[in-house]
Amino acid sequence: HCVDDQPTASTIEMYWFYQTSICEVPANPPNPAAVPRTIGGATFLATSIKATGTDFALLRLNNAPAAGAMFLGWTSAEAPVGTPITTVHHPSGDFKRISFGDVTNDTGEPLYSGAPRARFHQTTWSDGVTEPGSSGCPLFITATGQIIGQLWGGLAACSNSSPDYYGRFDVSYPMMSGFIGPAVPEISLSLAAINVSEAAGTAVLNVSLSAAPGVGNSITVDYATQAGTAADGSDFTGTSGTLTISDNNTSGVVNVPIVDNSSFEIDEDFSVSFTNPSGGVLASLELTATVTIQDDDLDTDFDGISDADELAGTFGFVTNPNLYDTDGDGVGDWIEIVQGTDPTDAGSTPSLSTFRIPFFHISD
């Protein structure tokens, strides 16, 4: 009910940061003439009047906003009754205030008979309140900070705790989607932890988008591996690069080569981190996948040496993969190799360290 045509939009001036560092009254607001200002008007894009719609106007500033101003998030999903909400506004044209409450049932809108909840959110305040002059202020979901509507009317004031009515963004969105487009796609991982057999040759990480970039567009994200208990070079091949997902695709893959060695070892892991997105945003502050390499080398005799290494003489001796102690001297093959003796020669046995044990005789 404030802006409904281009001539009016052309006269708009924007004043920024008309606020104080505290909420309490009295406070010392800045001089409106001293805060940053954007002149030059705006381009009128779309509207929906209160009689038939949600009472919104979508404008695009003709000149840049003040330095330090940030874009707000929004959602076109319906906010159910009971959703905790927050509003930031300028009551009676005063400096910025904040109020908290909930979305409540529409039990009868007092100013415009018949305005249905299908077009408006009714809000009831539990901390703070709006006043005339707060019109147009954004309604946020408290938990996410996303806009779900703009204030149209109500009888709320400092002396009146009546509900307020906000035009629903999810109802307005189809009329403005051509200008603001879908939400920025989120980049996520299908699985944040995967297991891969050493013999697989490649670990495949599936990267997903919440929405496709669109024909002619693309979304990119950088990736890089980091060694963990698995070593770069001997267990996997370190990899880095940029993944690009284009057009109507909503997924992509990153392949990391796995080294299939012949030595028996415990399962080991490494990680792959995703950073520097372009055209989309990461679904979490740190987007990282953990890859666990599962060893597949047989050690039939459980002597600590894989069958392949025993037959190939990898550690200097060809030993029997079916015998824990090839030479029968009572000492396992791997223990002999570590101790520097020959596991195939019964006469080559690790010497045992000697030590004294005190003997005590206790008489009756």
Side-chain angles (χ1 to χ4, degrees):
H1 58 269
C2 297
V3 179
D4 59 6
D5 55 33
Q6 183 57 57
T8 305
S10 297
T11 69
I12 284 179
E13 296 181 5
M14 305 295 294
Y15 290 77
W16 307 89
F17 312 124
Y18 183 44
Q19 60 197 32
T20 64
S21 59
I22 59 175
C23 291
E24 289 79 6
V25 177
N28 296 312
N31 184 338
V35 300
R37 182 174 63 138
T38 298
I39 61 174
T43 300
F44 186 77
L45 300 177
T47 190
S48 175
I49 63 174
K50 64 184 180 183
T52 56
T54 57
D55 192 43
F56 84 88
L58 180 64
L59 312 176
R60 179 187 292 125
L61 292 181
N62 292 330
N63 291 310
M70 300 176 68
F71 286 103
L72 293 171
W74 50 265
T75 176
S76 58
E78 178 182 349
V81 170
T83 300
I85 47 85
T86 302
T87 195
V88 177
H89 56 108
H90 293 272
S92 298
D94 207 344
F95 61 90
K96 188 182 295 181
R97 302 297 210 283
I98 188 168
S99 305
F100 305 93
D102 300 279
V103 174
T104 53
N105 286 311
D106 186 351
T107 55
E109 192 284 308
L111 296 181
Y112 189 71
S113 179
R117 175 165 158 70
R119 299 203 310 259
F120 295 87
H121 287 304
Q122 176 183 280
T123 61
T124 301
W125 305 113
S126 57
D127 188 4
V129 72
T130 64
E131 288 185 328
S134 298
S135 289
C137 66
L139 183 68
F140 304 97
I141 297 176
T142 300
T144 65
Q146 294 170 299
I147 293 176
I148 57 170
Q150 77 289 334
L151 181 59
W152 164 58
L155 296 176
C158 289
S159 60
N160 190 339
S161 58
S162 296
D164 274 333
Y165 296 86
Y166 284 75
R168 286 173 49 168
F169 186 89
D170 60 298
V171 177
S172 307
Y173 177 70
M175 291 173 274
M176 62 178 85
S177 61
F179 300 102
I180 63 175
V184 176
E186 288 189 344
I187 304 167
S188 60
L189 296 169
S190 298
L191 291 173
I194 66 171
N195 297 323
V196 58
S197 170
E198 186 180 71
T202 304
V204 180
L205 285 77
N206 293 292
V207 180
S208 302
L209 301 179
S210 60
V215 176
N217 298 317
S218 63
I219 291 173
T220 65
V221 63
D222 294 341
Y223 61 89
T225 55
Q226 293 88 36
T229 55
D232 185 353
S234 59
D235 297 308
F236 70 97
T237 301
T239 305
S240 63
T242 300
L243 173 66
T244 301
I245 303 175
S246 303
D247 300 323
N248 291 324
N249 297 304
T250 57
S251 63
V253 297
V254 170
N255 296 314
V256 181
I258 302 299
V259 178
D260 187 8
N261 55 46
S262 60
S263 298
F264 176 76
E265 54 194 355
I266 62 173
D267 293 348
E268 299 170 318
D269 61 67
F270 65 92
S271 61
V272 183
S273 296
F274 294 82
T275 57
N276 301 322
S278 177
V281 295
L282 300 181
S284 58
L285 293 178
E286 295 184 1
L287 194 63
T288 302
T290 299
V291 180
T292 299
I293 304 173
Q294 298 177 320
D295 187 76
D296 63 349
D297 297 300
L298 290 176
D299 181 14
T300 302
D301 54 12
F302 301 104
D303 61 357
I305 313 173
S306 71
D307 292 359
D309 282 342
E310 291 207 62
L311 293 172
T314 301
F315 300 104
F317 302 93
V318 176
T319 51
N320 190 331
N322 296 307
L323 294 177
Y324 175 82
D325 175 17
T326 297
D327 59 11
D329 62 0
V331 182
D333 293 343
W334 179 244
I335 297 174
E336 288 214 54
I337 291 173
V338 171
Q339 293 291 328
T341 57
D342 185 348
T344 65
D345 181 0
S348 175
T349 305
S351 59
L352 295 177
S353 300
T354 60
F355 55 94
R356 295 178 180 273
I357 301 177
F359 179 80
F360 298 95
H361 175 72
I362 301 176
S363 45
D364 295 333

